[in-house]
Amino acid sequence: MSEVIGENEAKALYEELYKQLPRKKNLSMLVKNICKSSDTEKYVYELKDNKYIETVFIKRRDGGTVCVSTQVGCPVGCIFCESGRNGFVRNLTSSEIVQQIILLRRKVNRIVFMGMGEPLFNYDNLIKAIHILRDRYGLNFPTDGITISTVGPVDQLKKLREEHLKIQLTISLHAATQSARNRIIPHMRIYAIEDVVKQALSYSERHNRKIVFAYLLLPGINDRPSDVRQLAKWFRGKKVMINVLQYNPTSNSRIKAPQKREIVAFKHQLEQAGLEVTMRVSHGREINAACGQLANTYNKFKKK
């Protein structure tokens, strides 16, 4: 008669295996390289088809945040992001998504799907990976510690709203008008910005979650007084935080990076309009591991 392993024993067994280096036969990817700075590590993973992805680990006081990729390359084409400048290759499998965390062999407090690729364009594999991470016989990772960062494809946002996950959601909005967003995220012009906002707020209401709207400040493009007014119209009184981002240098020389004083002034304007605002601190710039900088020079992309 086979012995039934209890929940505590199963979790203890998994944690013990997690501390060990996984056997190669159980892996479909390997660590190719690790770049390190004072508080950030960038892992380059080689996949079985000789493609590469990058994953970032940001050290915290009692563990760390891991920024996980969901695609090789990216189809979205944000003008401030390196990942999509060379095109899109393929989606990652749910196994490849999970292995990025396992192979770190580090204590992880927070998982953010904000690496290479648009998470919701790899919807099925993403959701499967999240269920694996949350499973009590797997990593048993808390729901509050998982965030999807997305540009907000509307159909997928509607599906996510109906999932029984209640994970954290960050919307890369970056504009308050359709014309500005089309310029910043050109491949998302098929989605009306009003619909993106509407679906994000609907997710917030259904799951009782505060939604973060990421806003990369680009002087002369999305920093006008009318932009502040529109953001206030959408979000004042809602469970929303505006996260103002600073541009991290990429190969796009046409982008004018804002001065720190411009970012602080814009944040103050939003606060004066009654919004909750924070400023994101970038980590890993010196090793090209900050937001927008992941691209991986190992890959030979072909535009599609």
Side-chain angles (χ1 to χ4, degrees):
M1 189 168 106
S2 62
E3 181 183 357
V4 178
I5 299 177
E7 180 179 340
N8 291 336
E9 291 86 351
K11 189 171 185 295
L13 176 61
Y14 184 87
E15 288 177 346
E16 183 61 32
L17 291 172
Y18 180 66
K19 294 174 184 177
Q20 301 174 9
L21 185 64
R23 295 180 181 179
K24 285 187 177 182
K25 68 177 183 179
N26 296 327
L27 300 173
S28 58
M29 55 196 286
L30 298 170
V31 178
K32 176 73 174 181
N33 191 23
I34 304 175
C35 303
K36 297 184 179 182
S37 65
S38 58
D39 64 352
T40 306
E41 298 173 353
K42 182 171 71 172
Y43 289 72
V44 179
Y45 290 118
E46 181 179 6
L47 310 178
K48 269 194 170 181
D49 58 359
N50 301 122
K51 298 300 181 183
Y52 297 86
I53 56 173
E54 293 179 341
T55 304
V56 177
F57 180 79
I58 302 170
K59 302 173 189 175
R60 305 295 185 190
R61 186 176 305 172
D62 60 343
T65 296
V66 57
C67 186
V68 179
S69 293
T70 52
Q71 297 179 314
V72 181
C74 184
V76 174
C78 300
I79 63 171
F80 56 83
C81 183
E82 203 69 47
S83 297
R85 286 179 66 78
N86 294 315
F88 167 72
V89 177
R90 69 169 175 87
N91 287 326
L92 297 182
T93 66
S94 57
S95 174
E96 289 168 334
I97 293 172
V98 173
Q99 285 179 72
Q100 292 175 64
I101 301 160
I102 298 295
L103 286 172
L104 291 175
R105 302 179 68 206
R106 307 291 294 272
K107 181 181 178 183
V108 174
N109 309 106
R110 187 176 175 221
I111 297 169
V112 184
F113 293 101
M114 194 170 57
M116 296 172 65
E118 164 50 50
L120 293 189
F121 281 158
N122 188 12
Y123 189 90
D124 291 341
N125 288 327
L126 170 70
I127 298 301
K128 184 177 180 180
I130 292 173
H131 280 297
I132 293 170
L133 294 167
R134 292 180 66 242
D135 193 278
R136 62 182 180 179
Y137 296 123
L139 281 182
N140 196 27
F141 205 86
T143 300
D144 284 349
I146 300 175
T147 300
I148 293 176
S149 180
T150 173
V151 292
V154 172
D155 293 341
Q156 287 86 343
L157 281 180
K158 290 179 180 178
K159 289 177 65 176
L160 186 65
R161 180 185 183 276
E162 304 308 315
E163 299 281 354
H164 297 288
L165 289 174
K166 294 184 68 173
I167 54 179
Q168 310 291 348
L169 184 63
T170 294
I171 301 292
S172 295
L173 191 64
H174 304 313
T177 66
Q178 189 69 47
S179 59
R181 197 167 200 252
N182 290 348
R183 182 176 174 184
I184 297 168
I185 316 176
H187 297 170
M188 289 294 291
R189 63 177 64 244
I190 61 173
Y191 300 105
I193 190 171
E194 291 85 359
D195 290 340
V196 174
V197 170
K198 177 182 176 182
Q199 290 304 320
L201 293 178
S202 180
Y203 181 92
S204 171
E205 293 167 2
R206 177 174 173 81
H207 296 290
N208 194 28
R209 291 291 192 192
K210 178 180 288 186
I211 301 297
V212 175
F213 284 90
Y215 202 93
L216 178 71
L217 191 65
L218 298 172
I221 299 178
N222 62 2
D223 62 342
R224 299 168 299 177
S226 59
D227 296 320
V228 174
R229 291 193 295 270
Q230 182 60 60
L231 293 172
K233 181 179 179 181
W234 280 333
F235 304 133
R236 186 190 294 119
K238 305 290 186 181
K239 297 189 71 171
V240 166
M241 176 182 287
I242 306 295
N243 192 353
V244 181
L245 281 59
Q246 184 175 4
Y247 172 66
N248 296 308
T250 67
S251 61
N252 190 346
S253 59
R254 294 175 297 172
I255 292 181
K256 176 189 174 185
Q259 300 294 318
K260 182 67 175 291
R261 57 178 173 78
E262 293 177 298
I263 299 175
V264 172
F266 187 73
K267 176 178 181 288
H268 181 67
Q269 291 174 44
L270 293 175
E271 290 171 335
Q272 289 292 101
L275 299 175
E276 183 179 353
V277 191
T278 187
M279 289 172 56
R280 182 182 297 174
V281 177
S282 291
H283 297 269
R285 276 188 174 188
E286 59 271 39
I287 57 172
N288 290 326
C291 293
Q293 292 185 321
L294 298 185
N296 201 289
T297 56
Y298 294 91
N299 284 321
K300 295 181 178 179
F301 292 107
K302 293 182 180 180
K303 291 188 177 181
K304 294 186 177 182

